[in-house]
Amino acid sequence: MGDSNRLAHLEQTPLWDFALKWYSRPGVEAACLRLQEEAGVDVCELLFHGWLYSHGFQASPEWVEKYRKERLRWQHEVTAVLRDLHRGLKAEAATRQGVWALRETLKQAELLAERENLQRWQEWALDGTTPEARLRVTRVASGNSAWWLRNQVVIQAYTDRDETLDYSSSTLESAWQTLGRQLDPLHVAR
């Protein structure tokens, strides 16, 4: 498949639809949450990189670095706030119907915030003025997905962090491997 055909197919495959499909595969939700909780991985960015990879692309590191701060700001100021409110009401929602309903509303709002973030990642990648600069064709090989994904998300995104997290601990490595195994079957024909 030529680069223009790949790009056309990427444009026809919404990131949100890809994310729902991948996230629903066995073990992916748990792996994403583990990486989010234990290693501070931004799941929306992880899903974005998986979407690109499944179409044979990767985001240009220098372009991603410029945009990542804006997306992380959204995650911290909107999505995380909604998530904390949602989680904070769990115990009280078990005994109060009104709090349960409020918690469900917050859960939906959190999901909408994540969908908006993914939509913005997609718009950024497919910006008609610079997709060739932002996206590069990448080699896709079965069994390579976990390593590739970890490099895109961890090595590029977290090299400037002051804290030293062990991103290769056995539980985190298992999460990366699960994501890779479930990403491999999602590759489109090239």
Side-chain angles (χ1 to χ4, degrees), residues 31-43:
C32 286
L33 294 176
R34 172 171 279 135
L35 291 168
Q36 177 180 281
E37 297 300 320
E38 294 178 26
V41 168
D42 176 12
V43 172

Side-chain angles (χ1 to χ4, degrees), residues 60-77:
S60 174
E62 56 276 4
W63 282 85
V64 169
E65 186 57 37
K66 293 176 186 176
Y67 193 61
R68 178 179 288 124
K69 289 178 184 153
E70 186 177 322
R71 299 290 23 97
L72 286 174
R73 185 186 57 75
W74 176 270
Q75 287 292 84
H76 292 297
E77 293 177 7

Side-chain angles (χ1 to χ4, degrees), residues 14-167:
L15 174 53
W16 178 251
D17 293 348
F18 169 84
L20 290 177
K21 184 176 182 180
W22 189 24
Y23 204 76
S24 69
R25 294 187 61 86
V28 171
E29 179 181 0
C32 286
L33 294 176
R34 172 171 279 135
L35 291 168
Q36 177 180 281
E37 297 300 320
E38 294 178 26
V41 168
D42 176 12
V43 172
C44 285
E45 184 178 348
L46 185 148
L47 294 168
F48 166 72
H49 288 292
W51 173 65
L52 291 177
Y53 184 76
S54 73
H55 290 84
F57 287 106
Q58 72 180 58
S60 174
E62 56 276 4
W63 282 85
V64 169
E65 186 57 37
K66 293 176 186 176
Y67 193 61
R68 178 179 288 124
K69 289 178 184 153
E70 186 177 322
R71 299 290 23 97
L72 286 174
R73 185 186 57 75
W74 176 270
Q75 287 292 84
H76 292 297
E77 293 177 7
V78 179
T79 308
V81 171
L82 292 166
R83 182 180 302 123
D84 290 345
L85 289 169
H86 170 248
R87 287 179 179 172
L89 294 174
K90 185 175 183 177
E92 194 172 354
T95 59
R96 302 200 46 94
Q97 182 63 31
V99 175
W100 179 88
L102 174 59
R103 187 169 185 266
E104 288 301 306
T105 300
L106 289 167
K107 182 179 175 181
Q108 288 304 311
E110 179 187 349
L111 187 62
L112 288 172
E114 295 212 337
R115 184 175 188 162
E116 177 63 24
N117 199 10
L118 290 172
Q119 181 64 38
R120 290 179 185 196
W121 271 113
Q122 178 178 323
E123 288 170 2
W124 173 84
L126 299 176
D127 178 336
T129 60
T130 56
E132 300 80 17
R134 294 176 185 205
L135 302 179
R136 298 177 183 161
V137 173
T138 191
R139 183 173 178 263
V140 175
S142 259
N144 188 40
S145 300
W147 172 85
W148 185 92
L149 192 59
R150 189 167 79 192
N151 278 346
Q152 299 306 301
V153 175
V154 173
I155 293 175
Q156 289 183 22
Y158 300 99
T159 52
D160 296 334
R161 289 179 82 155
D162 293 334
E163 58 206 79
T164 53
L165 293 172
D166 180 9
Y167 293 104

